[in-house]
Amino acid sequence: MDALAGGAGGPGSLGPLLATVLDALEAGTALRSGPLPAGSPAEIAALVAEGLSGTRGRGALARLTELLAYGAADPADPACAAHLHCPPLAVATAADLAVSALNPSQDSWDQAPAATALETALIAELAALVGYDPARAAGVLTSGGTESNLMGLMLARDQKLDGIVELDGIPAGVRPCILASAAAHFSVQRSAALLGLGERAVIAVPVDRQLRMSPEELERELAEVSWAGRTPIAVVATAGTTDTGAIDPLDAAADLAGRYGAWLHVDAAYGGGALLSDRLAPLLDGIARADSVSLDWHKLGWQPAAAGVFLVRRAETYVSLARRAEYLNPVDDEQAGYPSLLGRSLRTTRRADAFKLAVTLRTLGREGLGRLVDTCHELALAAAAAVRAEPSLELHSEPVLTTLLFRYRPPGPADEAAVDELNGQLRRLLLRTGRAVVGRTELPGEGAGRVRLKLTLLNPHTTVGEVGALLREVVGAGRKVAGERAG
Ligand SMILES: *Cc1c(COP(=O)(O)O)cnc(C)c1O
């Protein structure tokens, strides 16, 4: 029971355990009849408590794996379509298992010789995908867009406030601010707080109906903050907003950031996947002008989490993350040609998340992955057509990438607050019955009429017929809830 995963005996010890895991995955998935287990959160928690308390010894792996599979919201199920939560490719998952067994850590060469070289090569490949000069760019694998956005804004702060911030804090009298659209990811505000700027340092630039940042409003806000004596350290442009996939005007953002001396960070955590598709990549034209970029391959990239990437256009802007730890990257080792990735990351111990992505890119190629992106995009367009064809559903706007927002609207006059409540309730009914995982969000702005349901289509094997069935589930749940409310 205490056998190790690595070493000469590792594969032999792992073999039977893997067979156990695969059997339990199959059994647990078969017990669940839909994308998630039916039941309330309290019922699921009780099942988990029972599994944990009633299991000891050799049987734990099988029993708890079965429970995990039964209790999963399985993104490989066509009716699981709420979030940027992708079904991982089998080949990527198998590659990740090799990483778990060997456990390389990216903070020093002597913990990860090949993995260090592999991450460096992959970062160059991804820099080229973004349009950066790979010889000048730099980057790192991250835990996701949240960490990548924090890193981009940290480098922006240190570059724009004369690089003294890390040691001495923000200079007295300087009032830094960050401009991001009202639909930008909440991690922008959180980063500002963590960086000592305060959440209110983030100025929300208005968006259009599709949630795309207005370039005129960005220009107006930049002029206003500059006039008020504040220092705009960064403009954050989102390439693929979480809810609608809207892509901010990247060239206009680059022009304006340049004019006001601000750093441009492009949050392409979702939309970065479009770079894999010849058809959709032009939507991201201008991304190569960004000072830094966030990409997430655990979204439109079919990797098991985590597979975030942070890139900078010019490696020298990484300076404020550089660290010398005598036990990890001593000068004499570096001079002798032993490279270190320590100064690329906020983290110290770091998993070799580059490996699964490198394997996937070699296995499917950019073209193969691009076809998966195109398939999901086409599925979203078909889903939008199906929503438009259903009188009790109302489409918010045409899909840009692979998401669509809509709502259930019962026939006849209805007040907006009641429609909001109805949509929230029908979504929870679908969760409770285990029949569908549909997203729920609110549009920026005030008042009622903001609640929208969301489909995030990331399963390239889902058929148009299955999306149609999912929409019928939504309508069915809407009728049921509306009927109960009326009665
Ligand atoms: C998902 C997302 C993030 C956060 O990424 P994590 O990988 O969840 O940390 C940031 N920005 C956008 C636009 C996203 O969609």
Side-chain angles (χ1 to χ4, degrees), residues 386-435:
V387 167
R388 257 192 262 97
E390 166 56 54
S392 59
L393 297 178
E394 189 180 85
L395 184 69
H396 176 70
S397 56
E398 243 349 86
V400 183
L401 296 171
T402 69
T403 59
L404 60 149
L405 294 186
F406 62 103
R407 63 178 172 173
Y408 175 73
R409 209 173 211 307
D415 94 70
E416 292 285 321
V419 175
D420 279 358
E421 209 184 329
L422 174 57
N423 279 274
Q425 285 173 330
L426 82 83
R427 171 178 178 275
R428 283 189 298 278
L429 176 61
L430 291 169
L431 289 179
R432 207 164 57 246
T433 53
R435 297 180 72 90

Side-chain angles (χ1 to χ4, degrees), residues 84 143-147 149 183-187 238-243 267-271 294 296 298-299 308:
L84 286 163
S143 62
T146 303
E147 184 184 357
N149 287 347
H185 194 260
F186 64 84
S187 57
T238 308
T241 57
T242 312
D243 281 341
D267 178 358
Y270 174 22
S294 304
D296 263 359
H298 52 250
K299 290 177 176 172

Side-chain angles (χ1 to χ4, degrees), residues 88-98 301-304 355-357 359-360 363:
L89 291 166
V91 68
T93 307
D96 212 27
L97 174 70
W302 298 284
Q303 300 299 300
F355 183 67
K356 58 199 168 195
L357 184 56
V359 169
T360 304
T363 308

Side-chain angles (χ1 to χ4, degrees), residues 93-286:
T93 307
D96 212 27
L97 174 70
V99 169
S100 287
L102 293 164
N103 210 22
S105 181
Q106 303 295 82
D107 48 329
S108 66
W109 190 91
D110 61 1
Q111 299 176 83
T116 299
L118 185 137
E119 175 164 325
T120 306
L122 181 73
I123 288 293
E125 206 173 314
L126 296 175
L129 182 69
V130 160
Y132 285 167
D133 172 0
R136 295 202 61 204
V140 75
L141 271 283
T142 68
S143 62
T146 303
E147 184 184 357
S148 301
N149 287 347
L150 173 62
M151 291 179 76
L153 292 172
M154 176 183 172
L155 298 189
R157 180 197 67 179
D158 297 346
Q159 290 289 310
K160 295 304 168 186
L161 302 182
D162 297 331
I164 55 172
V165 180
E166 259 224 297
L167 293 177
D168 298 328
I170 293 161
V174 175
R175 286 156 58 223
C177 61
I178 294 165
L179 292 98
S181 91
H185 194 260
F186 64 84
S187 57
V188 173
Q189 274 84 358
R190 181 165 291 175
S191 299
L194 287 168
L195 292 168
L197 309 173
E199 294 210 7
R200 278 190 294 231
V202 181
I203 293 163
V205 180
V207 291
D208 67 14
R209 180 177 170 82
Q210 210 173 52
L211 309 190
R212 187 172 182 266
M213 177 158 70
S214 147
E216 293 78 23
E217 295 286 347
L218 175 62
E219 182 163 17
R220 197 180 55 70
E221 297 281 5
L222 277 164
E224 204 161 282
V225 296
S226 302
W227 185 82
R230 301 184 72 176
T231 309
I233 57 168
V235 170
V236 177
T238 308
T241 57
T242 312
D243 281 341
T244 61
I247 296 164
D248 288 344
L250 302 181
D251 271 312
D255 289 342
L256 288 165
R259 195 188 315 155
Y260 284 88
W263 179 277
L264 176 64
H265 178 73
V266 172
D267 178 358
Y270 174 22
L275 295 167
L276 299 166
S277 150
D278 287 336
R279 193 141 50 84
L280 298 176
L283 294 174
L284 270 69
D285 278 352

